Every structure is written in C-alpha cells, then in structure tokens.
Amino acid sequence: MATQKPARPSPYPGLHDKPFWEFTAKHEFRLPRCAQCGKYQWPPAAVCAGCLSDEYTWERVSGVGTVLSWVVFQRQYFPGIPPPYNCILVQLDEGPLFISNLVGVEDGAIDFDLRVQVDFQDLPEGYTLPVFRLTDS
C-alpha cells in the first residue's frame, strides 16, 4: 500500500482576504486598493491604513518586486512542507510587502535586491499558492 504524502496546510480565507484567494485561483494577482487615497492595503483589512476609508477595489498588480529579506527553514513545522524551504519578503513595485516562497532557485543563491515576478502553483490540496521566480526586469 502506497503512503500518501501529507497535505500542506490550507489557507482559511476570512472576510477580507477571500477575494484574494478567489483571484489567485484564476492566476490573477490582485490586491485591495483604497478608493479614496489610492493606497494598496496588504494584508487586507476593514479600513485603509492610510485614510481609514472602508471603500476599496481589488486591482491587478504587476507582481514584480524586489527581495528585501529571506530565511531558509531547516526545521520541519508542517508535515506537508519538508525542509529545507525558503520564505522571502518581497517589496512589490506598487509598494506593499508580500511574504511568499522563491522557486526555481537554490536556497543558497537567494540574495538582497533580487528582482522577482509572481507565479502560481496549483496545489493538490485544492488551492493556488502565489510564489515568486527570478525575473529580468
């Protein structure tokens, strides 16, 4: 009998981030943007951190940014995510900070100021995960 690979933890979409996961499932990278002051709000919240307006729209963003920081985990925290694996902090060109993983690169090659572009991984657990790859831009 074959051993089934343990699942990764799934997101638990809430009131404010549910649209994010719906767009991600369609391979669209969208973030909430305040309709009053134009500030992108990430993570999503009930009101804008800039002007406290509760009016916002989900706008497509480039998904291009710069690696500001990273860590490579050597310890296993979740059964479905074996180590080593990386976690990066990206400053998107539109301004917000976004935490994700860098794929297609050896963990030892991650460095400050790498230019990255969002990509999407459709996972067997039934959701799509935004990840990043190196880009030339």
Side-chain angles (χ1 to χ4, degrees):
M1 187 161 138
T3 304
Q4 188 175 18
K5 181 180 173 185
R8 297 172 65 108
S10 297
Y12 294 98
L15 177 64
H16 304 297
D17 64 337
K18 185 177 180 186
F20 174 78
W21 294 104
E22 292 169 348
F23 287 120
T24 301
K26 297 185 278 188
H27 291 204
E28 294 180 19
F29 197 55
R30 294 179 182 251
L31 299 179
R33 189 173 191 181
C34 179
Q36 298 298 314
C37 71
K39 178 179 173 54
Y40 284 99
Q41 180 70 36
W42 189 257
V47 296
C48 173
C51 71
L52 302 180
S53 171
D54 63 354
E55 298 177 31
Y56 57 90
T57 58
W58 285 85
E59 293 191 16
R60 189 181 296 255
V61 293
S62 69
V64 175
T66 304
V67 173
L68 294 183
S69 187
W70 74 96
V71 64
V72 177
F73 288 92
Q74 302 296 331
R75 179 178 173 197
Q76 188 161 13
Y77 292 96
F78 300 103
I81 308 175
Y85 64 93
N86 67 63
C87 184
I88 61 172
L89 176 64
V90 175
Q91 176 145 38
L92 297 171
D93 287 353
E94 290 83 1
L97 300 176
F98 197 87
I99 297 172
S100 186
N101 305 107
L102 184 59
V103 297
V105 174
E106 293 291 323
D107 290 335
I110 301 173
D111 204 354
F112 296 104
D113 297 327
L114 289 177
R115 295 289 291 162
V116 293
Q117 167 74 50
V118 74
D119 197 3
F120 299 94
Q121 285 185 346
D122 296 314
L123 298 176
E125 291 80 15
Y127 66 96
T128 301
L129 187 66
V131 295
F132 286 82
R133 294 186 181 279
L134 295 179
T135 186
D136 295 330
S137 66

